[in-house]
Amino acid sequence: RKCNKTAPPTNGRYEMANKWTITLNNGDVIPAFGLGTWQSKKGEVGKAVDIAIRAGYRHIDGAYMYMNEDEIGEALQNLYKEGIVKREDIFITSKLSLFHLGCKEDVLECCQTILTNLQTDYIDLFLIHAPMAIKKGAPFPKLEAEDFLGYNEGQIATVWETMEELVAKGSVKAIGISNFTITKTENLLKTAKIVPAVNQVECHPFFQQEKLRAYSKSKGIAFECYAPLGSPSRIGIDPDEPVVMEDPVINEIATKYNATPAQICISFLLHLGLIVIPKSVSESRILQNLKATEISLTAEEVDRLKAIDKNLRLFSFKKFLPSGVTMDLWDVAEDEAYKI
């Protein structure tokens, strides 16, 4: 099935989450708004999850490489015990680490570690964090040239086959990808038995990824946005880069709705039919971000926000490449040439 916006499921699973949901290509429903946990430190992330779930969030996005899923698992267990929610009320996303792409056993090991840390029997959505491998045990992010194994089409196909086995086993309900281009997705689809449910990539008003979105829709792959606010806390910000939340159109619309620029960014992406996972450990921002789901933009406002796209990628990941290693991680020429 193609992904599409739907009303909340009748079983009430996400009744508190908000009106925005997406039906994945396996038939499962994902709340289109969730809490991101990248850069959320231990000692803070558990409280953030607790605040978010109590406020009505029903989707938590995590990853092995965030190194905080044990605290997330503890927070969720406390909420279950208190009767605030049940496990089946929460949609949990996690990601296979770049260190675990080497062989089938590594994939299984990573998944089991995630399940143990989150104290759960299954993950709702399990993504390949990125289509590039790093040698297991390498000192990330300070990599040597021999530590960076990069992209290998056959290796990703093998990883995917193992993830398909995890679906059959019941350890994960849906599998997907992250940071995949059109070209790399096409390569994966040559051998995949299960079409990825989701591709999670950078997407915000200054980098709207129109072609990748159209491609994903054509394949029934739901489109998920990280850095939906332009990642104001990212490392290595170029002072010359335009700041998403300072854009005059965003601010004008925010003033009309008595909203924040962040809320308009979130609302815009939801109106495009996308999944949005802003991260925060601040109680006020966690609650503010949720309020974005209550904003109804006009078609004219959505069009005005579409028009501010600058094709500005903020995450090149080049800073993670070892000295002397150069590669086009984003297949720019190939993707531009692809005909949908």
Side-chain angles (χ1 to χ4, degrees):
R1 263 189 288 182
K2 297 289 177 76
C3 56
N4 62 308
K5 204 184 314 181
T6 69
T10 53
N11 65 8
R13 180 177 177 193
Y14 302 123
E15 61 186 5
M16 289 179 65
N18 55 62
K19 64 182 179 179
W20 305 99
T21 59
I22 301 285
T23 300
L24 300 178
N25 59 18
N26 70 343
D28 286 352
V29 174
I30 181 172
F33 173 81
L35 179 72
T37 60
W38 175 57
Q39 289 185 324
S40 298
K41 298 174 185 174
K42 284 196 181 185
E44 297 178 334
V45 70
K47 184 181 177 186
V49 168
D50 184 83
I51 291 165
I53 297 298
R54 289 176 191 275
Y57 284 66
R58 292 295 179 265
H59 176 185
I60 305 296
D61 179 85
Y64 178 99
M65 291 186 74
Y66 299 165
M67 304 302 289
N68 58 11
E69 288 187 318
D70 54 344
E71 189 169 313
I72 292 170
E74 197 60 41
L76 289 172
Q77 283 299 315
N78 290 335
L79 288 160
Y80 304 153
K81 287 171 188 170
E82 203 177 322
I84 303 299
V85 286
K86 300 185 179 79
R87 168 64 186 93
E88 57 268 26
D89 298 327
I90 307 300
F91 193 101
I92 300 176
T93 299
S94 190
K95 306 178 192 76
L96 177 67
S97 92
L98 278 58
F99 301 103
H100 290 85
L101 301 179
C103 62
K104 177 176 180 176
E105 289 71 27
D106 286 349
V107 175
L108 297 175
E109 176 191 293
C110 183
C111 183
Q112 186 54 55
T113 300
I114 291 167
L115 291 170
T116 300
N117 284 339
L118 291 172
Q119 300 183 49
T120 184
D121 295 329
Y122 67 93
I123 306 164
D124 293 278
L125 177 62
F126 192 37
L127 309 177
I128 298 177
H129 205 145
M132 49 185 177
I134 296 172
K135 189 187 292 181
K136 202 173 180 184
F140 186 80
K142 296 179 180 179
L143 300 173
E144 300 296 332
E146 62 268 21
D147 297 327
F148 186 77
L149 307 177
Y151 170 71
N152 180 290
E153 181 181 337
Q155 183 181 48
I156 294 297
T158 300
V159 165
W160 193 253
E161 185 179 358
T162 306
M163 290 173 69
E164 290 173 332
E165 290 175 15
L166 287 168
V167 173
K169 191 174 150 187
S171 299
V172 303
K173 291 194 166 186
I175 51 177
I177 52 184
S178 180
N179 295 301
F180 271 61
T181 60
I182 291 173
T183 301
K184 290 185 175 71
T185 307
E186 279 291 289
N187 288 343
L188 175 60
L189 291 176
K190 291 175 191 172
T191 56
K193 294 184 180 69
I194 297 176
V195 174
V198 167
N199 190 8
Q200 184 184 123
V201 295
E202 177 186 346
C203 186
H204 46 77
F206 284 0
F207 191 55
Q208 296 181 28
Q209 300 247 51
E210 187 177 1
K211 186 166 186 180
L212 183 59
R213 284 192 286 119
Y215 168 79
S216 299
K217 185 176 182 180
S218 77
K219 299 296 181 181
I221 301 171
F223 194 96
E224 185 167 20
C225 312
Y226 69 72
L229 314 180
S231 193
S233 63
R234 71 188 185 281
I235 299 164
I237 294 177
D238 183 340
D240 295 328
E241 278 178 343
V243 178
V244 173
M245 289 191 287
E246 292 178 2
D247 182 83
V249 174
I250 292 173
N251 279 270
E252 181 191 325
I253 295 171
T255 299
K256 173 189 168 181
Y257 289 97
N258 194 24
T260 65
Q263 288 172 327
I264 298 304
C265 291
I266 294 164
S267 179
F268 169 57
L269 297 170
L270 289 172
H271 277 76
L272 294 182
L274 312 181
I275 304 163
V276 191
I277 46 167
K279 66 180 182 64
S280 184
V281 293
S282 156
E283 180 170 8
S284 61
R285 287 205 187 99
I286 289 169
L287 301 178
Q288 274 181 4
N289 290 344
L290 180 60
K291 282 285 185 185
T293 64
E294 300 173 11
I295 297 170
S296 292
L297 299 173
T298 67
E300 181 193 7
E301 286 162 348
V302 170
D303 286 342
R304 289 185 68 201
L305 290 165
K306 284 180 181 177
I308 67 173
D309 189 7
K310 301 181 189 300
N311 195 30
L312 177 67
R313 186 186 293 279
L314 300 174
F315 287 87
S316 70
F317 296 124
K318 286 180 180 175
K319 65 179 179 292
F320 294 125
L321 294 178
S323 178
V325 174
T326 57
M327 63 179 295
D328 177 12
L329 299 172
W330 303 112
D331 305 316
V332 175
E334 294 91 336
D335 280 15
E336 282 180 2
Y338 182 86
K339 298 284 190 288
I340 296 173

